[in-house]
Amino acid sequence: MELSLSVRPGRGCTVLEVRGELDMATSPQLREGLQRLVDAGDRQVVVDLAGVGFMDSSALGMLVVMFKALREAGGRLSLASAQPAVQNVLTVTSVDRVIRVYESAEAAEADVADDPAGR
């Protein structure tokens, strides 16, 4: 399945909406999209996973790498709207203990707007 990325401004952040499956074939595309945002100076990024029904370990690893890159740049990467199968992967691997996962993109945006430092 093809991956679709779209960027929109959020409240105090940039929201990257993802649609498709996140696997070994599509993870590089998401990484490039996130890296473009970081290179453009975006520091508060919410990845909206509402349109993602599947995520494998390569995508998970890439999200952790980009989380660390944003943190080192003084920013924050958050995830939102994870479907049950994706949420399960995040929970089983304990990635949801490292990267904040929100019920919705709006909830993530509100949290970033209230606390841009991510404390």
Side-chain angles (χ1 to χ4, degrees):
M1 180 177 209
E2 193 171 304
L3 192 68
S4 167
L5 305 176
S6 60
V7 178
R8 68 171 176 82
R11 289 179 47 207
C13 64
T14 301
V15 178
L16 179 62
E17 297 173 339
V18 184
R19 299 211 179 287
E21 294 186 352
L22 286 172
D23 56 25
M24 195 164 54
T26 59
S27 291
Q29 186 179 345
L30 178 56
R31 182 183 174 122
E32 289 168 12
L34 286 167
Q35 190 62 54
R36 277 194 299 274
L37 294 176
V38 172
D39 292 346
D42 291 297
R43 292 296 176 258
Q44 307 300 324
V45 178
V46 174
V47 178
D48 185 346
L49 299 169
V52 176
F54 174 81
M55 179 178 4
D56 73 5
S57 61
S58 63
L60 201 61
M62 179 277 307
L63 285 170
V64 170
V65 167
M66 292 309 298
F67 167 81
K68 289 178 180 178
L70 265 163
R71 186 179 61 193
E72 289 170 6
R76 168 171 134 182
L77 175 74
S78 302
L79 305 176
S81 306
Q83 298 301 313
V86 172
Q87 182 63 51
N88 187 48
V89 170
L90 296 170
T91 302
V92 166
T93 59
S94 296
V95 168
D96 64 346
R97 293 181 183 206
V98 177
I99 302 175
R100 290 185 186 190
V101 182
Y102 297 87
E103 294 279 325
S104 67
E106 293 77 18
E109 290 177 55
D111 193 44
V112 170
D114 291 342
D115 185 12
R119 293 187 196 107

